[in-house]
Amino acid sequence: MDKLVKNSGGRIAYAIIIPMVVVVLTSVIGIFALMHWSARLSDESAEQAQHKLIAGALELTQNYLVKQQTGVVIWDEAHHVVNDPVPNESWIYNNITHWLYQNNGFSKSVVVGRDMDVRDVYAHDQSRRWMTPSLYDQLVPALRKVRARYIISFRKTPSGLFAFAPKNNKTGRSIAETGVVSIGGEPYLFSAAAIMPQVQSITSVRYPPAVLVSMVPLMGEKLSNISEMTSLKGFLVSAPLVDRNDVGQFHLQSPRGTDIGVIAWKTSQPGSQMLMRINPFLAIAAFMIATVVIAVAVFTKLVTRRLARSEANAVHAARHDALSGLPNRSRYHDLLVETLEDGFYKGRSTAVVYIDLDHFKDINDTLGHSAGDKVIVAVAQRLKSVIPDKGIVARISGDEFAMVIKDCESDEWLEYILDQVQDEISRPIMIGRREIFASLSMGVAIAPRDGHDPDELLRKADIALYDAKANGRSRRSFFEATMEHHVQSKDLMTRDLRLALQNDELDLAYQPQTDNSAKRIVAVEALARWTKEDGTVVSPAQFIPVAEESGLINDLGIWVLNKACEKAHDWPGVVVSVNVSPNQFKHPRFVEKVMSILAANNLPPQRLEIEVTESVFAGRNDSVLHALRRLKNLGVKVALDDFGSGYSSLSYLRRFPFDTLKIDRDFVSDMNGNAEAEAILVSIIHLGKALGMTIVAEGIETEEQSRFLQEHDCSRLQGFYISKPLKDKDLTTFLNNYQGIGGSGFGADLSYQGRSA
Ligand code: C2E
Ligand code: MG
Ligand code: MG
């Protein structure tokens, strides 16, 4: 069952825990991812803003370069000098290139003529080698733009001539293009401006301008200016760097579009910074969530395990008998259905066996319920130990068990198995120091022979069990169609018995009892007789149990008492002994009834003896003892019938002071020279005498039996040897003629050869 609990508990737990963990994990991961993503977004947008800042700062710086150039490029004289076929280099040096270096720090300059020829090259350190063809090539797009802007600055006049009117002329701005070039691997900011006249001029032909390109290295002061403007830190110019989150790179490109290098800076990363700040809190939160999730998971698992256990317990309890642990009736039914289906498909026989523990009530009543429980447990274990593989044993009710035996090979095989069952049960069961001998009655129905339907098979097994019990217990019966007839006839018998009672068809026979000398009849036992209209005689062994089951026993008992008391007047001085069923004591006014019958018949109570069997003690029914005591106190004699046939006969003697002890017929019939049986008989007589009781031996059939009992001081003798039960008239004659044993035997229509006839 533990495995079952684990499995189903686990299943329930995982059904709750897994989705919960998944939801919590996804939420946590989602929150983390979202925060990182938004941090990244904010970092990126910050970097873009910084990019724009740098681009703006660079543009400002370059615009400033243009402005610084303006003074020398919008100048008539300069325009003349640079366009002169042989330009005056020293003038250019003094007034333009060197001047620009001195005043504005342009450390390198070059003048490109109208025909794109290099007219003048300047470097503050006098070197000229810096001006290489590749540098020139880098500058060409900027030069062209300047030249084009210059050309489109001419306005066509109505006369067809061109008037040079630079757009920005009025504001004194040059036509310029700025950018970055690499010189010897170092980036330089440059401004390329058209060298143009100050005043408006009219010309028939538009010439491109000479262009002055002034350069200043992008480092030192210029770089720190940009840094200042942008308020960004860690500026440096270098070749492109490996991508890093915390380093921003602004790519510098020549006018040709070739990479020159980058302006790198330490990016401010607001998102990452924010993350860094909240990361510890997030970690704590994650830890707490994980702790809560684990705690909830563990708790859920424990709770579901407990739930599953109690559910499994409840299911087990609902399906099993608490005492023996065997499946109970409803579970048995389910298992039977499954087994029958299985057998049906396999084409195999299945036996349904109903089992009744014989005399269990006696064990329970005499040894107590805990002993009874132990017997049940022992029987359950033994049944389980002998049933073949995969067979089923169940406890149906108090002392009823049932088995299903699968795949029965043959009737012989089944008989062999049932023999084993009976052998196993017949071994003594030890209850404390006491040995209990149990026996079983079994009823067997076999599928498919007796049917397929489980209920039908159970009914038939029950009928077979009834048959086994009716035939004397400790036996087994296989279902036969005639048994069904018996059951039906039991119902019929109840109906007939009721009618017989109404129609006064019952009669009494009286069996005489002599005193010890066997010379005098001192008592008669009244025995019910029923001869049907058609002449069939029904034995009391048959109809008394039917009367008890149907409740007719009360009416029947009263009728017998009435009749016996009435007839007693015919036989003065003779005690009339009447058998009374335990069920009759259940009637709350039984004692009053007896007394009123005695009164009605004017019979002294001392003339009446009632015989009860040990079964009156069943169920520890104190009200029965109470009624017996009242009867005894009123003077009615009380006899214990069939003494010794039950379990704990001796203990009954302690519970009620019987007047008479009737030794069970079996002890007398067992006698016949059997020393043990004789010893038992003698000791019962001694015991009874010691307790002051009258001892009656019944079932005496031979002279030897009679003599033995007489010799051993048995108080009264009863049996066919003295007389069979007689009709009342016959009894009167018998009494009149009786002269002691050996007298004439009376033909007795109403007699029987035994109680189990
Ligand atoms: P019981 O009270 O033990 O009655 C004695 C039975 O033994 C009678 O059987 C009787 O016919 C039989 N018997 C007498 N002498 C001999 C003998 O020498 N040998 C043999 N083999 N049998 C002998 P019966 O009349 O068939 O009664 C059977 C049982 O039915 C009685 O056993 C009694 O328990 C019950 N019974 C009979 N009449 C009544 C009644 O009116 N009320 C109740 N409650 N039970 C009754
Ligand atoms: Mg009797
Ligand atoms: Mg008897």
Side-chain angles (χ1 to χ4, degrees):
M1 194 172 77
D2 252 16
K3 210 174 163 191
L4 202 100
V5 168
K6 250 189 191 157
N7 283 347
S8 79
R11 249 183 286 125
I12 303 171
Y14 290 130
I16 299 170
I17 293 169
I18 292 176
M20 181 185 76
V21 169
V22 168
V23 167
V24 173
L25 262 183
T26 358
S27 316
V28 170
I29 291 173
I31 290 169
F32 270 73
L34 206 72
M35 300 204 64
H36 276 264
W37 179 66
S38 62
R40 214 193 150 80
L41 270 188
S42 113
D43 284 354
E44 274 173 17
S45 71
E47 201 181 321
Q48 275 169 15
Q50 289 161 24
H51 250 270
K52 279 184 190 155
L53 264 180
I54 291 172
L58 212 55
E59 200 182 319
L60 268 178
T61 312
Q62 284 170 332
N63 286 347
Y64 190 59
L65 296 186
V66 173
K67 211 169 176 191
Q68 286 175 328
Q69 254 188 335
T70 303
V72 293
V73 292
I74 306 175
W75 187 9
D76 289 341
E77 200 173 352
H79 181 248
H80 281 299
V81 173
V82 293
N83 287 319
D84 206 56
V86 184
N88 183 343
E89 283 183 16
S90 74
W91 191 91
I92 293 172
Y93 180 84
N94 288 327
N95 295 292
I96 301 178
T97 53
H98 191 59
W99 188 89
L100 278 175
Y101 169 66
Q102 278 182 325
N103 290 288
N104 299 316
F106 289 106
S107 56
K108 291 187 170 59
S109 295
V110 61
V111 178
V112 179
R114 266 185 186 156
D115 303 322
M116 294 290 277
D117 54 326
V118 177
R119 305 217 103 191
D120 188 83
V121 175
Y122 168 85
H124 73 97
D125 56 2
Q126 308 295 319
S127 74
R128 282 171 169 255
R129 288 221 198 103
W130 61 270
M131 187 59 216
T132 59
S134 83
L135 174 61
Y136 179 80
D137 184 57
Q138 284 186 53
L139 287 169
V140 167
L143 294 173
R144 287 205 178 121
K145 277 188 190 159
V146 174
R147 284 158 67 96
R149 272 186 216 138
Y150 181 81
I151 293 293
I152 58 171
S153 296
F154 283 90
R155 193 168 37 84
K156 210 171 183 182
T157 58
S159 59
L161 296 173
F162 292 101
F164 176 70
K167 270 191 202 140
N168 300 327
N169 216 7
K170 285 185 194 125
T171 52
R173 298 254 341 230
S174 17
I175 294 172
E177 171 69 15
T178 56
V180 192
V181 285
S182 169
I183 302 174
E186 281 181 10
Y188 274 72
L189 294 176
F190 74 87
S191 170
I195 302 173
M196 56 190 180
Q198 283 163 285
V199 291
Q200 187 173 345
S201 53
I202 304 285
T203 171
S204 58
V205 182
R206 292 177 292 176
Y207 292 105
V211 178
L212 169 65
V213 183
S214 309
M215 301 172 205
V216 55
L218 179 54
M219 54 181 68
E221 195 194 329
K222 286 281 174 263
L223 213 51
S224 54
N225 281 348
I226 292 174
S227 170
E228 237 165 64
M229 276 186 261
T230 55
S231 318
L232 295 171
K233 308 252 154 27
F235 262 100
L236 84 119
V237 173
S238 84
L241 303 170
V242 181
D243 263 354
R244 262 177 60 179
N245 278 345
D246 56 344
V247 175
Q249 300 192 50
F250 184 90
H251 288 263
L252 300 169
Q253 283 184 335
S254 75
R256 274 266 181 234
T258 51
D259 279 329
I260 288 169
V262 293
I263 296 178
W265 76 100
K266 197 156 165 35
T267 52
S268 76
Q269 294 181 300
S272 300
Q273 277 165 13
M274 185 261 303
L275 256 190
M276 292 266 278
R277 270 195 296 270
I278 63 167
N279 260 348
F281 299 103
L282 281 181
I284 291 170
F287 175 74
M288 274 158 60
I289 290 170
T291 314
V292 169
V293 167
I294 290 169
V296 170
V298 169
F299 179 73
T300 313
K301 210 166 165 163
L302 282 177
V303 168
T304 48
R305 175 85 56 88
R306 210 173 301 147
L307 263 177
R309 175 161 294 131
S310 61
E311 190 197 336
N313 281 342
V315 169
H316 191 267
R319 293 173 169 181
H320 291 81
D321 162 52
L323 177 62
S324 62
L326 294 177
N328 59 16
R329 181 191 290 275
S330 76
R331 181 71 183 141
Y332 175 73
H333 195 275
D334 295 346
L335 292 171
L336 174 62
V337 171
E338 284 168 22
T339 314
L340 284 173
E341 270 175 19
D342 194 44
F344 177 75
Y345 289 119
K346 283 190 194 154
R348 298 288 192 92
S349 295
T350 306
V352 179
V353 186
Y354 251 21
I355 300 171
D356 190 277
L357 207 52
D358 300 331
H359 303 296
F360 177 68
K361 234 181 161 95
D362 295 346
I363 298 173
N364 234 353
D365 293 337
T366 54
L367 303 182
H369 287 276
S370 84
D373 287 353
K374 282 177 188 154
V375 171
I376 291 290
V377 172
V379 169
Q381 277 168 357
R382 291 183 186 188
L383 288 177
K384 261 165 74 176
S385 73
V386 282
I387 187 141
D389 200 21
K390 290 181 189 150
I392 299 157
V393 181
R395 186 177 175 208
I396 301 302
S397 67
D399 58 350
E400 278 183 4
F401 293 86
M403 300 196 297
V404 179
I405 301 174
K406 291 177 83 166
D407 305 339
C408 297
E409 290 161 20
S410 62
D411 281 5
E412 292 71 35
W413 179 83
L414 186 58
E415 293 266 11
Y416 168 74
I417 298 294
L418 297 179
D419 277 344
Q420 281 192 320
V421 171
Q422 259 161 336
D423 289 350
E424 185 64 28
I425 297 299
S426 63
R427 284 195 297 115
I429 298 170
M430 294 300 294
I431 304 291
R433 295 247 218 79
R434 200 169 179 145
E435 282 187 334
I436 302 267
F437 291 89
S439 67
L440 300 178
S441 301
M442 296 194 269
V444 188
I446 300 170
R449 189 168 74 198
D450 298 325
H452 289 295
D453 181 62
D455 291 324
E456 188 191 348
L457 287 163
L458 287 173
R459 191 179 62 84
K460 288 180 171 171
D462 199 23
I463 290 172
L465 174 63
Y466 182 83
D467 179 81
K469 285 203 283 189
N471 284 317
R473 297 174 190 269
S474 189
R475 304 167 53 106
R476 60 172 177 256
S477 293
F478 285 74
F479 175 78
E480 282 166 25
T482 49
M483 290 176 186
E484 211 154 10
H485 175 69
H486 269 119
V487 175
Q488 284 166 3
S489 64
K490 209 174 89 180
D491 294 342
L492 272 178
M493 189 188 278
T494 310
R495 210 189 58 196
D496 289 355
L497 185 61
R498 184 172 286 121
L499 285 174
L501 263 172
Q502 282 168 10
N503 303 336
D504 212 13
E505 281 171 25
L506 295 182
D507 200 358
L508 284 184
Y510 305 89
Q511 188 171 32
Q513 294 176 1
T514 69
D515 64 1
N516 177 264
S517 69
K519 294 263 185 285
R520 221 163 52 86
I521 304 298
V522 288
V524 288
E525 179 177 7
L527 295 160
R529 293 290 176 261
W530 179 17
T531 310
K532 286 186 169 178
E533 269 183 349
D534 60 2
T536 38
V537 177
V538 191
S539 151
Q542 280 180 300
F543 70 81
I544 294 292
V546 169
E548 280 177 333
E549 265 177 52
S550 62
L552 284 174
I553 194 69
N554 284 315
D555 292 346
L556 191 143
I558 296 299
W559 178 85
V560 172
L561 270 169
N562 240 322
K563 186 91 176 169
C565 290
E566 186 193 318
K567 289 290 167 194
H569 286 289
D570 295 353
W571 315 306
V574 173
V575 171
V576 178
S577 205
V578 174
N579 293 286
V580 176
S581 278
N583 283 351
Q584 290 178 256
F585 287 96
K586 286 186 188 152
H587 197 285
R589 297 182 55 75
F590 177 69
V591 178
E592 283 71 21
K593 280 259 175 199
V594 175
M595 296 323 293
S596 71
I597 288 170
L598 285 171
N601 291 293
N602 204 14
L603 192 74
Q606 292 73 18
R607 292 274 312 275
L608 178 67
E609 182 173 68
I610 61 165
E611 293 187 13
V612 294
T613 55
E614 294 172 353
S615 57
V616 285
F617 296 100
R620 294 180 179 268
N621 200 338
D622 289 341
S623 67
V624 176
L625 287 180
H626 183 64
L628 281 178
R629 208 160 276 132
R630 282 179 66 202
L631 285 172
K632 187 178 158 82
N633 290 342
L634 289 164
V636 175
K637 291 194 171 59
V638 182
L640 181 59
D641 201 359
D642 302 339
F643 178 77
S645 61
Y647 262 97
S648 221
S649 308
L650 282 181
S651 76
Y652 298 133
L653 299 184
R654 273 198 316 178
R655 290 178 63 190
F656 189 81
F658 292 98
D659 299 290
T660 309
L661 199 67
K662 291 190 78 174
I663 304 172
D664 192 59
R665 220 167 62 204
D666 289 349
F667 289 108
V668 178
S669 63
D670 280 353
M671 218 169 97
N672 302 333
N674 178 335
E676 272 175 28
E678 288 178 1
I680 292 174
L681 260 179
V682 171
S683 45
I684 292 177
I685 295 168
H686 285 170
L687 176 83
K689 289 259 164 172
L691 291 171
M693 291 189 272
T694 303
I695 312 298
V696 182
E698 55 179 340
I700 301 170
E701 293 182 352
T702 64
E703 192 184 344
E704 294 83 63
Q705 289 169 348
S706 173
R707 194 172 311 126
F708 181 87
L709 289 157
Q710 281 175 286
E711 276 167 14
H712 286 92
D713 216 13
C714 180
S715 323
R716 290 197 230 152
L717 312 172
Q718 178 185 357
F720 293 168
Y721 179 65
I722 292 139
S723 170
K724 289 184 175 173
L726 302 169
K727 277 186 173 176
D728 51 358
K729 288 196 185 78
D730 296 334
L731 177 67
T732 309
T733 323
F734 178 83
L735 289 175
N736 290 336
N737 298 329
Y738 189 73
Q739 288 160 2
I741 299 175
S744 58
F746 281 73
D749 319 310
L750 298 167
S751 67
Y752 291 89
Q753 290 305 311
R755 60 188 153 172
S756 58

